[in-house]
Amino acid sequence: MVDLFDNSGADDADAGHAGVEWFPAGAVVGVMTTQPLGRVLDYIAPEEGCFTGAFVEVPLGPRKVLGVVWGVGEGTFARARLRTVNRVLDAAPLQAELRVFLERAADYTLTPLSAMLRLATRVPGLSDPPSMRKVYRLGEGQPARMTPARERVLAVLEEFSEGGFTLKELADYAGVTPSVVAGLVTAGAVREEATPRDGPYVTLDPAKGGLPLSAAQAAVAADLRSAVAAGIYGTTLLKGVTGSGKTEVYLEAVAACLSQGRQALVLLPEIALTGAFLDRVEARFGARPAEWHSGVTMTERRRCWKMVGRGGAQLVVGARSALFLPFRDLGLIVVDEEHDTAYKQEDGVFYNARDMAVLRASLCSAHVVLASATPSLESWVNAQSGKYKRAVLEARFGAAVLPEMRPIDMRVEALTQGKWVSPSLHEAVQLRIDKGEQSLLFLNRRGYAPVTICRACGHQIACRNCDARMVEHRFLKRLMCHQCGEQAPLPTICPACKVEGKLAPVGPGVERITEEVAGLFPHARVAVLSSDLFASARALKAAIEGLVGVIDADLGLQGSDLRAAERTFQLLRQVAGRAGRADKPGEALLQTFQPEHPVIRAILTGDEEAFWAAEAEARRAAGVPPFGRLAGIILSSPDVQQAFALGEDMARRDGPLRDVGAQVFGPAPAPIARIRGRHRVRLLVKADKHVPLQAALEAWIRQFKWSSHLRMSVDIDPQSFY
DNA sequence: AGCACGCCGACT
DNA sequence: GTCGGCGTGCTC
């Protein structure tokens, strides 16, 4: 994607600090509402005036809606028909930097700006006056009558004269009932004050210091510190396996950012990881940062949003949506586990938080740290080309952590129909059980599709129109290409080796494997780990002192998903890494029908650079991302036929796309074929890297009519392919 | 998104 | 006649 941002950083950084324009009463201002109109509407500035970036309440039809003053009005709407802004809300104004970011993100993702603005204003109580609460401090007077309970209350207030207590806190602390406090308030000895409920977060101390760093870690940390201190946009790809001290190192970048008085944002792919991370922050900076994700309460959300805007939050830890918070002065964005697919939002607004982080940073002169043990190919390519800086952390114990890895060639194993554990793997596990050691059997279901494979030669049936593998369609009992929609009956003879009756949809379920394993090892306690559960299992740091067996190293290796090889590589590296400890290397066995496949070989030899180089070359040859561009068009309707009919019409009338040399594939069932009763159909558009794809898509889409019945959304840089 | 408007089929 | 289904269009 990144091209869009290339030459833009410097110019827009200036825009980010542009002056705020003041509009006196009666001036015509352009207001962007959060209503799905997607364009600015003209209003008359209110009595008290307003300014660019101000949050306002405006009348729209019979309703009052939230909006932001976007600038001077367009003046095309008859002045007599203009309505007046109701009021300016008490919220920190939306800065030019964030407005530009939303505009650019909207243009890039082909999303209406109003939907983008909604992402940035998804906070409860935004239009309410600041929520107040009563706090109690020491007053001037003395009570006429003193009692032991009253003395305790006054003693507490004297001791902690700084912090305003709530009624409950004060009563509990002094060991009295609230009525004692009430009595003191009446007497004037205690003062009751109203303060905003949303207070600033506890100040983080960048100098508090954390764990001692090794020389190598300190060197990388120093690089990151100076990159942040430069105060200009830049991106560093920080590569380091689990246990290499990656988190400690990027927390040094956070420290450098906080020392400069700027704000920092750390994105994590899932909520389950935040707890442990908050502890690390507390150990390093002496306090907990602000949190932003779906798991935080409404009150906390409001506090976080307001404090980020007012500078009362130095560091935010959050999910991808934290990228749209109204930071005052954002100096650093860390995207941890940057390769994680959770960063791609594929519902409502389609965006990739990793790419958007780079865009936002380029607009506010911030540094980006992309951290991962197994980076995405996109980031690897950007690091290779010099667009990103590269920092590598070696494992603490060198190569010793890598287990001994061997393939099990499934083509020569004597495997009974419907069974998945090969005799070789069975034997190896049995050996471990006899020695009283643990084994972990792993089922790779990530990027899983019911690909049809020949169990004699390993051949996967491909579509005759594209390079994509054919996927078994559960309802039709036919093979289907999920890229172009091509269908074919299920053959009985393998087109490659001509052996009959060996073609089978691969992909056992967790239940089936558990059952099979339980049968093979009746006296062992059995647990099978699948990549579906891997997200939660990721938190499980414990290594396996023994053997890791991968049931299906091939699955998704060459599906119709262009990132399948990459994901398989990342996943299997991580799983295999679980076997053994530094002092006692474990063993990893990979069951595969394609032992000579570059991905399997790269995993076995541990030669990552070779894998990425090969994968990059394959993508370059195919003209797919990051060397080409893709866009998904998702049509949804309660009526499948209607969605397909429009899809076919769109595929036929592809003039604006052909003009820029782009190709359309499909329609085919979308990765999620049905959501809430709506059938979803997808077209894929493929283009060269440097074509103005968004403009062409817009011109193309303009030709067709939409309704509430038949809806369309665009997915730039899709990640899911079936 | 809401909400009105308006154009057709089933009732008092 | 008119009540109410929801398809279409507008909101500064």
Side-chain angles (χ1 to χ4, degrees):
Chain A
M1 76 162 305
V2 218
D3 270 34
L4 192 84
F5 318 143
D6 279 358
N7 24 14
S8 55
D11 302 343
D12 286 309
D14 292 342
H17 301 289
V20 169
E21 190 172 354
W22 170 259
F23 300 103
V28 178
V29 294
V31 173
M32 182 56 127
T33 70
T34 53
Q35 300 300 302
L37 306 192
R39 66 197 166 88
V40 164
L41 299 179
D42 282 3
Y43 284 89
I44 295 179
E47 195 70 12
E48 71 271 27
C50 62
F51 48 91
T52 37
F55 279 94
V56 290
E57 182 192 271
V58 292
L60 183 66
R63 292 164 305 138
K64 293 170 176 172
V65 299
L66 176 69
V68 170
V69 176
W70 218 254
V72 65
E74 292 181 337
T76 47
F77 202 75
R79 194 183 159 104
R81 290 177 60 200
L82 292 184
R83 298 173 76 183
T84 306
V85 170
N86 288 337
R87 61 194 177 102
V88 176
L89 302 177
D90 176 54
L94 201 72
Q95 293 201 33
E97 170 264 304
L98 183 47
R99 293 202 301 278
V100 174
F101 171 60
L102 295 176
E103 284 174 351
R104 295 283 291 272
D107 289 346
Y108 186 81
T109 59
L110 285 177
T111 306
L113 185 51
S114 54
M116 230 65 223
L117 180 60
R118 208 156 41 227
L119 285 181
T121 54
R122 266 213 297 225
V123 56
L126 173 54
S127 39
D128 302 342
S131 166
M132 305 298 267
R133 66 173 175 181
K134 285 176 182 160
V135 294
Y136 296 82
R137 292 178 204 285
L138 209 54
E140 300 298 315
Q142 278 292 316
R145 209 151 21 93
M146 191 57 93
T147 66
R150 289 183 163 188
E151 268 172 17
R152 284 204 300 278
V153 171
L154 296 177
V156 166
L157 289 177
E158 239 160 82
E159 190 185 345
F160 303 98
S161 51
E162 284 301 304
F165 292 89
T166 64
L167 183 56
K168 189 179 181 328
E169 282 166 359
L170 180 57
D172 286 356
Y173 218 82
V176 302
T177 59
S179 63
V180 176
V181 179
L184 285 168
V185 171
T186 318
V190 170
R191 208 148 37 91
E192 193 181 68
E193 292 175 0
T195 61
R197 198 179 291 274
D198 302 318
Y201 290 81
V202 179
T203 308
L204 305 184
D205 179 9
K208 182 165 179 286
L211 301 171
L213 299 179
S214 72
Q217 289 168 341
V220 172
D223 284 351
L224 290 182
R225 274 180 164 275
S226 61
V228 171
I232 54 166
Y233 163 72
T235 297
T236 303
L237 175 59
L238 175 62
K239 193 170 165 304
V241 296
T242 316
S244 63
K246 194 161 30 104
T247 310
E248 270 64 37
V249 167
Y250 73 60
L251 283 180
E252 291 311 304
V254 172
C257 179
L258 301 188
S259 302
Q260 289 197 305
R262 302 186 78 189
Q263 293 169 299
L265 168 64
V266 174
L267 295 180
L268 299 176
E270 61 171 291
I271 313 174
L273 301 172
T274 50
F277 182 78
L278 294 174
D279 294 342
R280 305 274 273 276
V281 170
E282 194 168 7
R284 176 63 183 81
F285 299 113
R288 299 196 149 224
E291 249 184 289
W292 180 272
H293 52 74
S294 59
V296 303
T297 61
M298 288 295 186
T299 348
E300 232 1 75
R301 254 177 115 75
R302 190 190 54 208
R303 179 185 179 204
C304 182
W305 193 89
K306 294 213 159 160
M307 283 305 116
V308 161
R310 296 190 190 284
Q314 297 160 281
L315 171 62
V316 178
V317 175
R320 57 182 180 227
S321 57
L323 212 47
F324 296 92
L325 285 170
F327 289 95
R328 268 180 94 189
D329 184 13
L330 184 59
L332 171 70
I333 306 176
V334 176
V335 185
D336 201 0
E337 309 292 345
E338 66 92 24
H339 64 278
D340 202 297
T341 47
Y343 284 120
K344 182 67 198 290
Q345 164 111 20
E346 297 193 330
D347 189 26
V349 180
F350 294 73
Y351 67 91
N352 189 325
R354 186 232 301 146
D355 300 336
M356 291 300 139
V358 172
L359 172 59
R360 184 149 193 198
S362 75
L363 297 175
C364 64
S365 303
H367 198 76
V368 179
V369 173
L370 303 177
S372 175
T374 52
S376 60
L377 183 79
E378 277 85 348
S379 298
W380 183 85
V381 167
N382 283 330
Q384 280 305 101
S385 71
K387 198 182 282 179
Y388 295 171
K389 284 192 272 296
R390 190 173 172 151
V392 181
L393 287 170
E394 300 300 340
R396 275 191 229 267
F397 306 108
V401 251
L402 276 185
E404 184 200 327
M405 292 192 263
R406 281 185 290 120
I408 293 176
D409 189 341
M410 296 297 276
R411 295 168 305 188
V412 300
E413 291 283 326
L415 209 61
T416 357
Q417 194 76 50
K419 296 294 181 197
W420 287 93
V421 178
S422 66
S424 298
L425 183 58
H426 181 187
E427 193 183 319
V429 173
Q430 190 60 57
L431 218 67
R432 297 282 171 174
I433 291 177
D434 294 345
K435 283 201 270 180
E437 292 177 347
Q438 277 180 310
S439 295
L440 172 84
L441 294 186
F442 184 80
L443 192 58
N444 175 23
R445 290 172 58 84
R446 178 158 293 189
Y448 161 81
V451 172
T452 297
I453 190 170
C454 170
R455 294 181 74 161
C457 71
H459 178 77
Q460 294 179 11
I461 297 188
C463 171
R464 57 194 179 94
N465 298 332
C466 10
D467 291 334
R469 304 303 110 172
M470 298 288 271
V471 163
E472 188 176 281
H473 202 285
R474 275 152 257 196
F475 310 109
L476 303 172
K477 284 277 169 209
R478 286 164 73 85
L479 293 175
M480 181 180 263
C481 171
H482 270 218
Q483 190 161 295
C484 69
E486 168 80 9
Q487 287 188 37
L490 199 72
T492 52
I493 296 168
C494 172
C497 70
K498 313 292 178 206
V499 172
E500 196 177 347
K502 279 283 189 182
L503 285 168
V506 291
V510 188
E511 303 79 16
R512 252 168 70 194
I513 290 295
T514 309
E515 203 177 291
E516 183 181 341
V517 172
L520 290 172
F521 312 106
H523 302 300
R525 274 181 304 137
V526 168
V528 175
L529 187 62
S530 113
S531 53
D532 291 350
L533 305 168
F534 198 59
S536 46
R538 188 155 44 186
L540 174 116
K541 286 274 165 64
I544 301 299
E545 285 180 52
L547 174 133
V548 167
V550 179
I551 301 287
D552 47 358
D554 293 326
L555 264 196
L557 207 55
Q558 38 169 233
S560 47
D561 185 338
L562 76 109
R563 274 170 260 269
E566 182 184 336
R567 249 178 260 153
T568 304
F569 182 76
Q570 287 159 348
L571 194 62
L572 296 191
R573 283 284 306 214
Q574 289 176 49
V575 173
R578 289 282 155 77
R581 291 181 318 206
D583 52 327
K584 192 177 168 196
E587 182 185 10
L589 295 176
L590 274 57
Q591 295 198 143
T592 171
F593 285 98
Q594 302 153 287
E596 65 291 314
H597 190 285
V599 176
I600 299 293
R601 278 170 53 183
I603 293 166
L604 293 173
T605 59
D607 189 350
E608 301 172 54
E609 295 300 315
F611 165 72
W612 274 308
E615 180 66 11
E617 206 32 65
R619 297 241 201 127
R620 188 194 301 276
V624 293
F627 304 100
R629 308 195 55 195
L630 281 179
I633 309 297
I634 291 167
L635 307 172
S636 75
S637 163
D639 177 8
V640 213
Q641 298 303 317
Q642 191 191 25
F644 264 101
L646 179 67
E648 277 152 19
D649 193 28
M650 289 181 76
R652 266 193 305 274
R653 294 158 62 190
D654 63 345
L657 295 176
R658 271 212 313 272
D659 290 347
V660 296
Q663 269 181 294
V664 195
F665 298 93
I672 307 164
R674 201 149 71 108
I675 297 180
R676 284 170 245 118
R678 299 182 65 88
H679 294 271
R680 289 156 48 102
V681 157
R682 185 175 70 171
L683 296 153
L684 269 180
V685 176
K686 191 177 152 190
D688 281 348
K689 192 179 162 89
H690 297 291
V691 310
L693 183 58
Q694 277 82 354
L697 286 171
E698 215 151 17
W700 178 47
I701 287 163
R702 249 201 310 272
Q703 302 176 293
F704 306 95
K705 212 65 183 114
W706 320 107
S707 64
S708 63
H709 241 61
L710 193 59
R711 285 200 284 253
M712 186 269 322
S713 48
V714 181
D715 181 5
I716 300 285
D717 311 321
Q719 300 278 322
S720 306
F721 291 85
Y722 31 63

